[in-house]
Amino acid sequence: MDFTLPEEMESLRRIVRDFVGNEVEPVAQEIEESGEIPRRIVQMAKEMGLFGLSIPEEYGGLGLSMVGKCAIYEELGKTHNGFTSLIGAHTGIGTVGIVQMGNKEQKRRYLPKMATGEWIGAFALTEPSAGSHAANLKTTAVRKGDRYLINGSKHYITNARDAHVFTVMAVTDPSKGPKGITSFIVERDFPGFIVGKTEKKMGLNGSHSCELFFEDLEVPVENRLGEEGEGYVNALKILTNGRAGLAARNLGSCQYLLDKSIQYAMERVQFDKPIIEQQAVLHMLADMAVETETLRSLTYRVAWMTDQGMNVIKEAAMVKLYGSEVYNRVADKAVQIHGGIGYNAEYPIERFYRDARITRIYEGTSEIQRNIIGAQLIKEYRKRS
Amino acid sequence: MNILVCLKQTFDTEERITIENGKINEDGAEFVINPYDEYAVEEAIKLKEQHGGEVTVITIGPERAEQALRTAMAMGADKGVIVDLEDLGDQVDEHTIAQVLAATIREEDLDFDIILCGYMAVDDGSAQVGPRLAELLEIPHISTITKLTVEGDKVSVEKDVEGDVEYIDAKLPILVTAQQGLNDPRYPSLPGIMKAKKKPLTRLELDDLDLDEEEIAAKTEIIETFLPPKKEAGKILTGDLADQAKELVQLLRSEAKVI
């Protein structure tokens, strides 16, 4: 067994760590207050190639393994989660559909521009009536000659304000349930595509989620991703693929909070000694460290399994669930150790505490992950007996 | 244009330095391209972008120093040369380094129009290697530059002289050393890092170079290595100015013992 990263992955990780520490961290508070990521930072991220993590080299990306991507996501998780989300959603659910299910023409048309970040990607599944019950879509797609007409709406679509390319799920055959869902690649300037208001959120400032409205949205047949009826399975595959990456981002945030908490506990003096000498505080730090390290092991193991082409439905759900729950527990302890400063919005801990909360909800709630894990356990048990 | 950059891998500037058995402890330390050398690498790549040509990066150091060359290649340098002087142990100083660099450039037939170095390394801070190398190669040099323009064989630089600027015109071939302010080094792109692994790297040891060990042996000797004293809290003098001056003189005499 070998737990070390290949040297070139370490090099990638180092550069991303430098970029995050030198460029993004100094403006994190500014992002939080203005709700905007400075253009200069986004431009630098594009020039570095951060938008092309998932895209094969032949289309101008990095073609990284999942382990390599996780190493980078972990570093990105150590700064403002809104910035992390812009890149994470683009390189995860925003591009993976086209990479994995797209045909040659679709890849040629979309991937090079998505690799450079000229076109930002987004994933549009969730609807007012279809959250955890993802198959309950109301958006319809009706074929008319060489195009589809799509009608309906989406909401909570991450990156929607700035994205150009959307992977959209719509119902082509209402009589077939989940098997009547089809996925499409939709460009922002297709006729009938309307971006609604930007949602006001608890956190993830700088990452802009919007409603989408489709009014006789015209999508050429060649923009159908896969065959009719494959949309739901496609969506699940895209989400499963994104889960280790999401966990890696949470892992980075946990590590950040742990480091900040140790530093603070060593500096903060109460009762004439640094609070780290209080066993109650030290035990909190120990628990944070154990959970962070456990998350690290599980994250890279699931990433490795993904790279081996193994079926990771259960493990991906585990790491999504565990990563989100650990992030929330670690953030809670970090606030507790920091006390009043942890609650103060001029310091970063409070921001991480709020940003952590969404991770138990988006890309499949913790409850849905438990459902997936449970269903797999039953399946495995039946196979054995 | 053929461009050479001499660089050194140094401790990350944020590393805490500890000393063990009279030596700086390297365990677990992070290493980076010496920041002044990074300006030199950036300037070299800019020159290449403007004028075409090839950038070769050279370093002297242990195996780990390859990482610094790969980073420079990820930024855009084309090839690298690493010389390992492990055999010499501690018998290495600026004289040795300049001799080895000169021999490497001669014997590897590294053509150059311009050589760029950082003006000093942040670890030993001698600021000697660039000028020494220029002397050995019998070319002119200008140190601590903050701006560089090359047109044809004409070179114009702005040189930092203790906060003032000196404008100097010169001709290729030349060696220049980079001062802070010369440029803002780019981050290597991630695809650049992947490509850097495949760029050519030549590894040399002392035996590969035609050098007399005695001739290149260090001319200086390190007698002791120690950390600077811990910074203590300052003192603010009060009272009227005459009293303050009096007290200051007394403190400089009795406490600081500098007068």
Side-chain angles (χ1 to χ4, degrees), chain A residues 188-207:
Chain A
R188 189 187 191 90
D189 45 20
F190 283 178
F193 187 90
I194 299 152
V195 179
K197 73 169 171 44
T198 304
E199 331 251 4
K200 276 188 90 172
K201 311 183 297 308
M202 178 195 259
L204 284 194
N205 291 337
S207 163

Side-chain angles (χ1 to χ4, degrees), chain B residues 140-159:
Chain B
H141 84 267
I142 307 170
S143 56
T144 60
I145 66 162
T146 53
K147 193 173 176 198
L148 174 67
T149 320
V150 179
E151 270 169 55
D153 69 345
K154 197 176 156 238
V155 180
S156 310
V157 306
E158 290 180 18
K159 171 182 162 70

